[in-house]
Amino acid sequence: AQKVTQAQTEISVVEKEDVTLDCVYETRDTTYYLFWYKQPPSGELVFLIRRNSFDEQNEISGRYSWNFQKSTSSFNFTITASQVVDSAVYFCALSESLIQGAQKLVFGQGTRLTINP
Amino acid sequence: DVKVTQSSRYLVKRTGEKVFLECVQDMDHENMFWYRQDPGLGLRLIYFSYDVKMKEKGDIPEGYSVSREKKERFSLILESASTNQTSMYLCASSLYGLAGAYEQYFGPGTRLTVT
Protein backbone atom coordinates (compact mmCIF):
# COMPACT_ATOMS: atom_id res chain seq x y z
CA ALA A 1 0.00 0.00 0.00
CA GLN A 2 1.06 3.57 -0.54
CA LYS A 3 2.43 5.45 2.39
CA VAL A 4 3.57 9.01 3.00
CA THR A 5 5.64 10.02 5.99
CA GLN A 6 6.14 13.57 7.16
CA ALA A 7 8.41 13.07 10.11
CA GLN A 8 8.33 16.70 11.23
CA THR A 9 5.17 17.24 13.21
CA GLU A 10 5.86 20.88 13.98
CA ILE A 11 8.46 23.40 12.88
CA SER A 12 8.90 26.89 14.23
CA VAL A 13 11.27 29.43 12.68
CA VAL A 14 11.82 33.15 12.70
CA GLU A 15 10.71 35.19 9.74
CA LYS A 16 13.14 35.33 6.80
CA GLU A 17 14.71 32.01 7.67
CA ASP A 18 14.68 29.25 5.07
CA VAL A 19 12.78 26.12 6.04
CA THR A 20 12.52 22.65 4.48
CA LEU A 21 9.60 20.32 4.98
CA ASP A 22 10.44 16.66 4.47
CA CYS A 23 8.29 14.09 2.72
CA VAL A 24 9.18 10.44 2.21
CA TYR A 25 6.91 8.05 0.38
CA GLU A 26 6.50 4.36 -0.35
CA THR A 27 4.88 2.99 -3.47
CA ARG A 28 4.99 -0.05 -5.68
CA ASP A 29 3.66 1.86 -8.67
CA THR A 30 6.06 2.76 -11.45
CA THR A 31 3.99 5.77 -12.39
CA TYR A 32 2.69 7.97 -9.66
CA TYR A 33 2.12 11.59 -8.73
CA LEU A 34 3.18 13.59 -5.73
CA PHE A 35 1.45 16.66 -4.37
CA TRP A 36 1.86 19.34 -1.77
CA TYR A 37 -1.06 21.14 -0.17
CA LYS A 38 -1.20 24.05 2.25
CA GLN A 39 -3.87 24.35 4.93
CA PRO A 40 -3.92 27.85 6.43
CA PRO A 41 -5.78 28.59 9.66
CA SER A 42 -8.98 29.15 7.66
CA GLY A 43 -9.01 25.38 7.08
CA GLU A 44 -9.31 25.04 3.31
CA LEU A 45 -6.62 22.94 1.65
CA VAL A 46 -4.87 24.80 -1.14
CA PHE A 47 -3.15 22.91 -3.93
CA LEU A 48 0.51 23.90 -4.39
CA ILE A 49 2.14 21.48 -6.81
CA ARG A 50 1.78 18.18 -8.65
CA ARG A 51 4.82 16.22 -9.80
CA ASN A 52 4.91 13.20 -12.11
CA SER A 53 7.26 10.38 -11.12
CA PHE A 54 9.00 10.59 -14.48
CA ASP A 55 9.94 14.21 -14.01
CA GLU A 56 12.72 14.59 -11.49
CA GLN A 57 13.55 18.16 -12.27
CA ASN A 58 13.38 20.46 -9.32
CA GLU A 59 10.77 23.16 -9.47
CA ILE A 60 10.83 26.71 -8.22
CA SER A 61 7.90 29.04 -7.85
CA GLY A 62 8.82 32.31 -6.24
CA ARG A 63 9.97 31.57 -2.70
CA TYR A 64 8.82 27.95 -2.97
CA SER A 65 10.93 25.13 -4.33
CA TRP A 66 10.53 21.38 -4.48
CA ASN A 67 13.20 18.72 -4.60
CA PHE A 68 12.11 15.35 -5.95
CA GLN A 69 14.58 12.48 -5.54
CA LYS A 70 13.35 9.14 -6.73
CA SER A 71 16.44 7.36 -5.41
CA THR A 72 15.53 8.27 -1.84
CA SER A 73 11.75 8.37 -2.38
CA SER A 74 11.59 11.93 -1.16
CA PHE A 75 9.76 15.04 -2.27
CA ASN A 76 10.88 17.87 -0.05
CA PHE A 77 9.51 21.38 0.02
CA THR A 78 11.61 24.46 0.81
CA ILE A 79 10.38 27.94 1.60
CA THR A 80 13.03 30.60 1.17
CA ALA A 81 12.91 33.79 3.22
CA SER A 82 9.85 32.64 5.11
CA GLN A 83 7.05 35.04 5.95
CA VAL A 84 4.37 35.03 8.62
CA VAL A 85 1.76 34.29 5.95
CA ASP A 86 3.49 30.97 5.30
CA SER A 87 2.28 29.73 8.68
CA ALA A 88 0.04 26.75 7.97
CA VAL A 89 -0.15 23.00 8.02
CA TYR A 90 1.48 21.49 4.96
CA PHE A 91 0.53 18.10 3.58
CA CYS A 92 2.41 15.90 1.19
CA ALA A 93 0.32 13.39 -0.79
CA LEU A 94 0.88 10.47 -3.13
CA SER A 95 -1.48 9.19 -5.79
CA GLU A 96 -2.85 5.68 -5.76
CA SER A 97 -4.74 4.26 -8.70
CA LEU A 98 -8.25 3.07 -8.04
CA ILE A 99 -10.87 1.58 -10.27
CA GLN A 100 -12.26 3.28 -13.35
CA GLY A 101 -9.45 5.82 -13.63
CA ALA A 102 -10.09 7.49 -10.32
CA GLN A 103 -7.05 8.34 -8.29
CA LYS A 104 -6.94 8.44 -4.54
CA LEU A 105 -4.54 10.66 -2.65
CA VAL A 106 -2.74 9.20 0.32
CA PHE A 107 -1.79 12.01 2.68
CA GLY A 108 0.99 12.35 5.18
CA GLN A 109 0.17 13.41 8.71
CA GLY A 110 1.06 17.02 7.96
CA THR A 111 3.69 19.43 9.26
CA ARG A 112 2.56 22.48 11.21
CA LEU A 113 4.80 25.38 10.25
CA THR A 114 4.87 28.48 12.40
CA ILE A 115 6.72 31.57 11.24
CA ASN A 116 7.40 33.96 14.08
CA PRO A 117 7.86 37.68 13.38
CA ASP B 1 -11.67 29.19 -10.42
CA VAL B 2 -12.69 25.79 -9.15
CA LYS B 3 -15.18 26.10 -6.39
CA VAL B 4 -16.18 23.39 -3.97
CA THR B 5 -18.75 24.37 -1.40
CA GLN B 6 -19.97 22.54 1.67
CA SER B 7 -23.34 23.10 3.24
CA SER B 8 -22.14 24.00 6.73
CA ARG B 9 -18.88 25.17 8.32
CA TYR B 10 -19.93 24.07 11.80
CA LEU B 11 -22.49 21.50 12.85
CA VAL B 12 -23.49 20.16 16.24
CA LYS B 13 -25.57 16.99 16.40
CA ARG B 14 -26.70 14.58 19.06
CA THR B 15 -25.72 10.93 19.28
CA GLY B 16 -28.03 8.80 17.18
CA GLU B 17 -29.14 11.56 14.83
CA LYS B 18 -28.97 11.13 11.07
CA VAL B 19 -26.61 13.70 9.63
CA PHE B 20 -26.32 14.93 6.06
CA LEU B 21 -23.24 16.75 4.79
CA GLU B 22 -23.61 18.26 1.35
CA CYS B 23 -20.91 19.12 -1.15
CA VAL B 24 -21.28 20.89 -4.47
CA GLN B 25 -18.63 21.57 -7.12
CA ASP B 26 -18.99 23.81 -10.13
CA MET B 27 -16.21 22.55 -12.41
CA ASP B 28 -17.91 19.54 -13.95
CA HIS B 29 -15.45 17.19 -12.26
CA GLU B 30 -16.14 13.49 -12.53
CA ASN B 31 -14.45 12.47 -9.30
CA MET B 32 -15.62 13.52 -5.86
CA PHE B 33 -14.29 12.52 -2.47
CA TRP B 34 -15.11 12.70 1.21
CA TYR B 35 -12.31 12.77 3.77
CA ARG B 36 -12.17 13.21 7.49
CA GLN B 37 -9.30 15.01 9.13
CA ASP B 38 -8.20 14.29 12.67
CA PRO B 39 -5.14 15.63 14.53
CA GLY B 40 -2.09 13.47 13.99
CA LEU B 41 -3.84 11.27 11.42
CA GLY B 42 -3.87 13.52 8.39
CA LEU B 43 -6.69 13.06 5.91
CA ARG B 44 -8.38 9.71 5.54
CA LEU B 45 -10.64 8.81 2.66
CA ILE B 46 -14.18 7.79 3.59
CA TYR B 47 -15.83 7.35 0.19
CA PHE B 48 -15.33 8.49 -3.34
CA SER B 49 -17.39 8.62 -6.52
CA TYR B 50 -16.16 8.60 -10.12
CA ASP B 51 -19.54 9.09 -11.76
CA VAL B 52 -23.16 9.78 -11.01
CA LYS B 53 -24.70 7.02 -8.89
CA MET B 54 -21.29 5.34 -8.61
CA LYS B 55 -19.59 5.09 -5.25
CA GLU B 56 -16.68 3.20 -3.79
CA LYS B 57 -15.49 2.71 -0.23
CA GLY B 58 -12.36 4.41 0.91
CA ASP B 59 -10.24 3.52 3.92
CA ILE B 60 -12.74 4.20 6.69
CA PRO B 61 -16.30 3.77 5.35
CA GLU B 62 -17.81 2.22 8.48
CA GLY B 63 -20.67 4.27 9.85
CA TYR B 64 -21.01 6.35 6.69
CA SER B 65 -22.85 6.20 3.40
CA VAL B 66 -22.89 8.50 0.39
CA SER B 67 -25.16 9.59 -2.40
CA ARG B 68 -24.43 11.05 -5.81
CA GLU B 69 -27.58 11.69 -7.78
CA LYS B 70 -26.17 14.60 -9.79
CA LYS B 71 -22.68 15.12 -11.10
CA GLU B 72 -22.08 18.30 -9.14
CA ARG B 73 -23.35 17.06 -5.78
CA PHE B 74 -21.94 14.48 -3.40
CA SER B 75 -23.55 13.87 -0.02
CA LEU B 76 -22.11 12.17 3.03
CA ILE B 77 -24.58 10.56 5.40
CA LEU B 78 -24.02 9.52 8.98
CA GLU B 79 -26.87 7.09 9.57
CA SER B 80 -26.62 7.25 13.35
CA ALA B 81 -24.06 9.75 14.54
CA SER B 82 -21.68 8.71 17.28
CA THR B 83 -19.21 10.73 19.32
CA ASN B 84 -16.25 9.12 17.55
CA GLN B 85 -17.46 10.75 14.35
CA THR B 86 -16.68 14.17 15.75
CA SER B 87 -14.20 15.47 13.21
CA MET B 88 -13.48 17.84 10.36
CA TYR B 89 -15.03 16.61 7.11
CA LEU B 90 -13.54 17.69 3.82
CA CYS B 91 -15.03 17.28 0.38
CA ALA B 92 -12.90 17.34 -2.76
CA SER B 93 -13.31 17.00 -6.49
CA SER B 94 -10.99 16.32 -9.41
CA LEU B 95 -10.96 15.55 -13.07
CA TYR B 96 -11.17 11.94 -14.13
CA GLY B 97 -8.00 10.69 -15.74
CA LEU B 98 -6.92 7.29 -16.94
CA ALA B 99 -3.60 8.82 -17.91
CA GLY B 100 -2.75 10.29 -14.58
CA ALA B 101 -3.74 11.76 -11.27
CA TYR B 102 -5.14 15.25 -11.21
CA GLU B 103 -5.04 17.56 -8.26
CA GLN B 104 -8.01 17.53 -5.98
CA TYR B 105 -9.76 20.75 -5.06
CA PHE B 106 -11.12 20.98 -1.56
CA GLY B 107 -14.06 22.65 0.06
CA PRO B 108 -13.73 24.70 3.26
CA GLY B 109 -14.64 21.77 5.49
CA THR B 110 -17.41 21.04 7.97
CA ARG B 111 -16.46 20.75 11.60
CA LEU B 112 -18.93 18.28 13.05
CA THR B 113 -19.37 17.83 16.77
CA VAL B 114 -21.47 14.92 18.02
CA THR B 115 -22.55 15.22 21.65
Side-chain angles (χ1 to χ4, degrees):
Chain A
Q2 322 286 74
K3 184 179 178 182
V4 176
T5 301
Q6 295 179 255
Q8 305 149 306
T9 305
E10 293 192 33
I11 299 175
S12 181
V13 300
V14 177
E15 200 171 18
K16 298 184 183 175
E17 283 187 29
D18 298 347
V19 58
T20 295
L21 309 182
D22 297 332
C23 173
V24 175
Y25 62 92
E26 296 175 28
T27 180
R28 284 177 286 190
D29 292 345
T30 52
T31 302
Y32 53 90
Y33 292 77
L34 293 158
F35 302 79
W36 275 95
Y37 284 84
K38 173 182 180 180
Q39 186 177 40
S42 60
E44 188 165 338
L45 269 81
V46 177
F47 165 72
L48 295 177
I49 189 171
R50 177 183 71 156
R51 177 48 51 93
N52 183 308
S53 57
F54 291 112
D55 181 2
E56 289 193 68
Q57 279 193 336
N58 291 334
E59 180 150 346
I60 298 175
S61 176
R63 296 184 297 106
Y64 294 173
S65 63
W66 291 268
N67 180 261
F68 176 33
Q69 292 199 343
K70 223 169 172 178
S71 60
T72 56
S73 297
S74 65
F75 186 44
N76 297 336
F77 173 31
T78 297
I79 302 175
T80 304
S82 61
Q83 299 177 2
V84 172
V85 293
D86 296 326
S87 297
V89 180
Y90 290 86
F91 290 95
C92 179
L94 168 68
S95 66
E96 179 177 329
S97 295
L98 300 169
I99 65 169
Q100 302 290 338
Q103 297 270 349
K104 163 185 168 180
L105 292 186
V106 176
F107 285 83
Q109 300 91 326
T111 297
R112 180 175 299 277
L113 176 64
T114 302
I115 311 297
N116 299 297
Chain B
D1 276 353
V2 177
K3 197 161 178 73
V4 180
T5 57
Q6 296 183 229
S7 50
S8 307
R9 288 301 302 268
Y10 300 93
L11 210 53
V12 180
K13 295 291 182 180
R14 293 191 181 276
T15 301
E17 278 193 80
K18 191 168 186 175
V19 182
F20 292 87
L21 303 183
E22 304 283 338
C23 175
V24 177
Q25 50 96 2
D26 66 358
M27 284 304 293
D28 204 34
H29 284 169
E30 293 84 3
N31 297 332
M32 295 189 75
F33 307 82
W34 274 106
Y35 294 88
R36 64 177 281 175
Q37 181 180 7
D38 300 289
L41 297 177
L43 276 73
R44 294 179 292 167
L45 182 65
I46 304 171
Y47 267 96
F48 72 97
S49 168
Y50 53 88
D51 200 354
V52 176
K53 296 193 186 295
M54 306 304 291
K55 57 187 179 185
E56 292 294 330
K57 294 179 181 179
D59 299 317
I60 51 166
E62 298 77 19
Y64 303 95
S65 62
V66 290
S67 171
R68 192 165 181 203
E69 297 297 318
K70 292 185 177 182
K71 190 174 185 180
E72 67 271 17
R73 189 180 296 270
F74 192 34
S75 302
L76 179 69
I77 303 153
L78 286 66
E79 296 289 343
S80 178
S82 63
T83 55
N84 63 12
Q85 292 179 309
T86 292
S87 185
M88 170 72 88
Y89 290 88
L90 294 163
C91 175
S93 72
S94 76
L95 288 169
Y96 168 96
L98 284 171
Y102 292 96
E103 58 271 25
Q104 294 181 14
Y105 292 90
F106 285 81
T110 296
R111 187 167 294 281
L112 173 67
T113 302
V114 183
T115 61

